[in-house]
Amino acid sequence: MNALVALCHFCELHGPRTLFCTEALHPPSPDPSSQMGTPVPGDRDGDREGEGLTMRANSSATPRGEMCEGCRSLPASHPGFVSIDDETGIRFLSHQHPRQSQLFSVVRQACVRSLSCEVCPGREGPIFFGDEQHGFVFSHTFFIKDSLARGFQRWYSIVLVAMDRIYLINSWPFLLRHLKLTIHSLQSTALKVFDSEQGGCPQRALRMNSVFSPAVFPHQRSGNAARSLTSLTQHPNLWASLHCSFSWLLKASGSRLTEKLLEGAPTEDTLVLIERQTEQEEEMSCWEGAEGGRSESQLLQTDGKLGLLCEASKSDDVPGPKFKSLRHLRQVLGANDFRQLSWHVLMGNQVIWRSADPGLIQSAFTVLKSLLPVGCVRSVPYSAQYEEAYKCNFLGLSPDVPIPAHVSSSGTKRPTDIKVTCRPLWDECPTLLNKLEVALSNENLSVDVVSHCLLCLKEEWMNKVKVLFKFSKVDGRGREDTQKVLALLGATGPGEEDNVRLLKYWMTGLSKTYKSHLMTAVRGGERSPSQ
């Protein structure tokens, strides 16, 4: 993520100050001149790879004479902190100020605004501000207890500065969740120090009994205004700990959302994935509000389990036999059993797979789920009890889990330990399945080509689903008109019953965004004549 995280402090003597910042340095792109050993004219940043954080660009911006202990984090001789991401080669550098003068002015402005004019009600909490020129800022202000400060507390903020406004806004729930953990850790540690100091020498009573003199007041204030954050928390490795937190935040923020070039409008699967991710993040935020006492490790574990774009435990990491593709599954089951199983999947019937090997079941479901739109998939990979069909259409069970009698009587059990509902006649199947089997039986087509063929078939039929949904559900047309549309879509003729059933089932996989767009357009069209 192209961003920078900084901890800021409002000093009672010098105003807003940047205490600590972490930035990410991406590996430099290959330079032909550098490969030839010729220095680039005007390039004075040959050492900007992070070896020495000497802060030459920023030393003149903040003279040391204007900094008190409360304004300073690391001494001038400190080299700073460096962490390297082995996967990407990105280096995360931390020091009191950014290494580049341009970034210094951007962070300085964000610091001043976060601790002066851009604050939320109550002066504690998150807020978003910024512009195209100076970048966009996610800021979270908070107080730290200090027995010697005015009002017994000092004001801080953590700001995350980026040039991508959309990316920063989309990351709001994630950033808020993890910054709260860091802030809570700082506040709880400082509170223990505050209680200990107040127990030894209560400052409130001492101040009320002391003689106030305007002449000595500035000297009294200057003596109390220079307490550092390290002194307030009594944390010996405070800055190293913040470096780790900020570095992880930058890395996680950059990896949780990725940019993808889309040719045309996003597919229904993409929209459904985005909606599910948003819903789970909102549910997680609400749950955290009720269960605020969780540790950071628990939160990270939960965050990992809620990932939508990757499985919680990938089948490739599970030892044992696994199904690798639809063609592989067809070869193992046989053409007839595979055709029957695929029919039930496409029609929305529940498929129960019983095995003592969870990895085998998961690999089978991963392959079978590719037959359906993402919005139609409801999977329980391995359960200790039977789950009803309305909860999941893919259910993995161990061999000793009993199945209710009404379910057993409504289906057949194959030698492969797959249980599905009976299908008496196989002479007419949905058009999509017939075309898929032609591709699978053609050995000249590779697995990748078959996968792209299936993707095209799914997109073709999802477009037909959209037309049918708009015509029958939104416009409310009659049976005769709907039949004409089905003929126009090529869903009539051989396999018509299965084609219609498939279209109706796949309607449940349409995204809420698409449905809401259609309903809004219809309501707008109904109002326009009267207007």
Side-chain angles (χ1 to χ4, degrees), residues 18 39 76 103 153-154 157 160 203 219 265 274 281 311 389 425:
T18 304
L103 286 180
Q153 59 187 9
R154 298 185 184 274
S157 71
L160 192 141
Q203 290 294 314
H219 301 283
I274 294 174
E281 287 185 348
E311 296 287 344
L425 297 177

Side-chain angles (χ1 to χ4, degrees), residues 73-139:
S73 56
L74 301 177
S77 58
H78 197 288
F81 300 96
V82 181
S83 295
I84 303 177
D85 184 0
D86 294 332
E87 296 178 358
T88 61
I90 298 176
R91 290 195 284 187
F92 300 96
L93 312 180
S94 295
H95 209 280
Q96 178 153 358
H97 301 288
R99 302 172 63 244
Q100 301 179 15
S101 57
Q102 292 180 344
L103 286 180
F104 176 84
S105 61
V106 171
V107 174
R108 172 63 178 165
Q109 185 184 57
C111 169
V112 172
R113 295 180 65 179
S114 70
L115 294 171
S116 57
C117 56
E118 302 288 357
V119 294
C120 63
R123 301 183 69 189
E124 275 192 300
I127 196 169
F128 180 87
F129 60 89
D131 52 56
E132 296 287 349
Q133 180 179 0
H134 300 97
F136 299 93
V137 181
F138 175 90
S139 170

Side-chain angles (χ1 to χ4, degrees), residues 286-308:
C286 294
W287 189 66
E288 286 175 4
E291 302 289 340
R294 293 191 301 163
S295 64
E296 184 170 1
S297 60
Q298 292 173 326
L299 181 59
L300 298 182
Q301 292 171 3
T302 306
D303 213 0
K305 293 177 182 177
L306 292 178
L308 282 170

Side-chain angles (χ1 to χ4, degrees), residues 261-317:
L261 180 61
L262 298 177
E263 298 181 358
T267 62
E268 284 299 302
D269 286 356
T270 303
L271 293 176
V272 171
L273 286 173
I274 294 174
E275 290 173 354
R276 288 184 178 179
Q277 184 176 15
T278 303
E279 290 175 358
Q280 289 186 349
E281 287 185 348
E282 292 176 352
E283 291 176 2
M284 188 174 180
S285 299
C286 294
W287 189 66
E288 286 175 4
E291 302 289 340
R294 293 191 301 163
S295 64
E296 184 170 1
S297 60
Q298 292 173 326
L299 181 59
L300 298 182
Q301 292 171 3
T302 306
D303 213 0
K305 293 177 182 177
L306 292 178
L308 282 170
L309 303 180
C310 61
E311 296 287 344
S313 57
K314 297 188 177 180
S315 58
D316 293 341
D317 301 332

Side-chain angles (χ1 to χ4, degrees), residues 46 98 217 258 265 299 354 365 457 460 468 515:
F217 178 73
T258 57
L299 181 59
R354 305 182 68 169
F365 285 171
L457 287 173
E460 175 188 351
L468 184 61
K515 294 179 181 178

